[in-house]
Amino acid sequence: EAEQANRSKSQFLANVSHELRTPMNAVIGMTDLALEEEISPTVREYLQTARDSAGVLMALLDEILDLSRLESGRFELETVSFDPRSVVEQTVRALAIRAHQKGLELACDVTADLPARVMGDPLRLRQILTNLISNAVKFTEIGEVVVEVTCERGVGDTVILTCAVRDTGIGISRADQKRVFAPFTQAASSTTRLYGGSGLGLAIASNLVAMMGGHIDVESELGKGSSFQFTIQLPIAAPPLPVSRSLDGR
């Protein structure tokens, strides 16, 4: 009965999240169109605030939908060839503005021997990295956030990818470190009041890492920052075949 109730809850969340995304897309679309019109600065500020709030709500709906699909076992990963270095660097670049606005240094160190192509789900890898880096920036007021990616050869034609995100932020107590990967959970209620957030990001990231056959860990100390590290094993993709051309260039 408990398992059935849990499945029903997950199905309900999935259905509600899916139904809410349709009107939210309309709200965002209409607001974007209104912002393109010639309007007064005051009205533009109102609309921009509404647009930002709608974006936050849409991100929350996406997280709830992801979590419900993960818990119901209906979440599937893609397997395509991609450049892991490009995924890491693009993710860091997208979050650099947010870090710089807070006066933080966001550094990225990717090992030189990273394979040019691997097989996996680049969108979900980027989602994991985005969550960890965003959290690091959110909970750090002074100092830096460092993203470090290393690799080693795995079994057969695979590579073991290790990604670490370290910050100089508020840190997490030893007792709370066991809870941060649970859904709807943050380290403490005071953290939620001060920094906001749904507490879903780390739960989703943890589930995604597990689906990729890896694991995620955290090392932290209150007032001295945190280090989140995950390791996954990915097949090395075969290099693309050269494109043959005729003498006339076709």
Side-chain angles (χ1 to χ4, degrees), residues 69 75-83 87 118-129 208 211-212 232-235:
R69 288 167 58 202
F75 197 101
E76 295 183 1
L77 295 175
E78 288 188 341
T79 302
V80 298
S81 172
F82 69 95
D83 178 1
V87 170
V118 296
M119 300 297 297
D121 192 328
L123 178 63
R124 297 308 175 181
L125 176 58
R126 179 166 184 161
Q127 183 177 358
I128 297 168
L129 288 168
L208 290 175
M211 288 186 67
M212 295 179 182
I232 55 177
Q233 183 166 295
L234 300 171

Side-chain angles (χ1 to χ4, degrees), residues 13 15 23 29 31 51-53 57-58 63 67 83 104 108 112-113 118 132 138 155 174 209 220-221 233 239:
L13 286 174
N15 290 339
T31 307
R51 175 63 178 84
D52 293 342
S53 299
L57 182 55
M58 180 63 83
E63 286 184 337
L67 182 66
D83 178 1
L104 303 175
C108 180
D113 59 351
V118 296
L132 297 181
K138 179 196 295 185
V155 178
R174 185 174 298 276
V209 169
S220 184
E221 185 176 347
Q233 183 166 295

Side-chain angles (χ1 to χ4, degrees), residues 6-11 14 65-75:
N6 188 56
R7 284 193 295 268
S8 298
K9 178 206 69 175
S10 298
Q11 186 62 47
L65 185 59
D66 280 347
L67 182 66
S68 60
R69 288 167 58 202
L70 284 164
E71 289 185 342
S72 64
R74 301 191 320 185
F75 197 101

Side-chain angles (χ1 to χ4, degrees), residues 77-165:
L77 295 175
E78 288 188 341
T79 302
V80 298
S81 172
F82 69 95
D83 178 1
R85 180 183 299 275
S86 177
V87 170
V88 174
E89 292 178 348
Q90 288 178 10
T91 304
V92 172
R93 192 177 303 118
L95 297 168
I97 294 178
R98 190 184 308 174
H100 294 159
Q101 286 174 342
K102 295 187 66 175
L104 303 175
E105 180 183 356
L106 178 56
C108 180
D109 182 12
V110 182
T111 182
D113 59 351
L114 196 65
R117 310 289 297 183
V118 296
M119 300 297 297
D121 192 328
L123 178 63
R124 297 308 175 181
L125 176 58
R126 179 166 184 161
Q127 183 177 358
I128 297 168
L129 288 168
T130 297
N131 176 265
L132 297 181
I133 299 171
S134 295
N135 276 355
V137 172
K138 179 196 295 185
F139 296 116
T140 303
E141 298 299 330
I142 300 174
E144 63 181 7
V145 175
V146 178
V147 182
E148 185 178 282
V149 180
T150 58
C151 70
E152 60 182 275
R153 294 294 294 208
V155 178
D157 200 19
T158 64
V159 62
I160 299 175
L161 198 68
T162 300
C163 303
V165 179

Side-chain angles (χ1 to χ4, degrees), residues 10-11 18 40 102 109 168 172-173 182 241:
S10 298
Q11 186 62 47
H18 181 75
S40 68
K102 295 187 66 175
D109 182 12
T168 56
I172 307 169
S173 69
L241 296 174

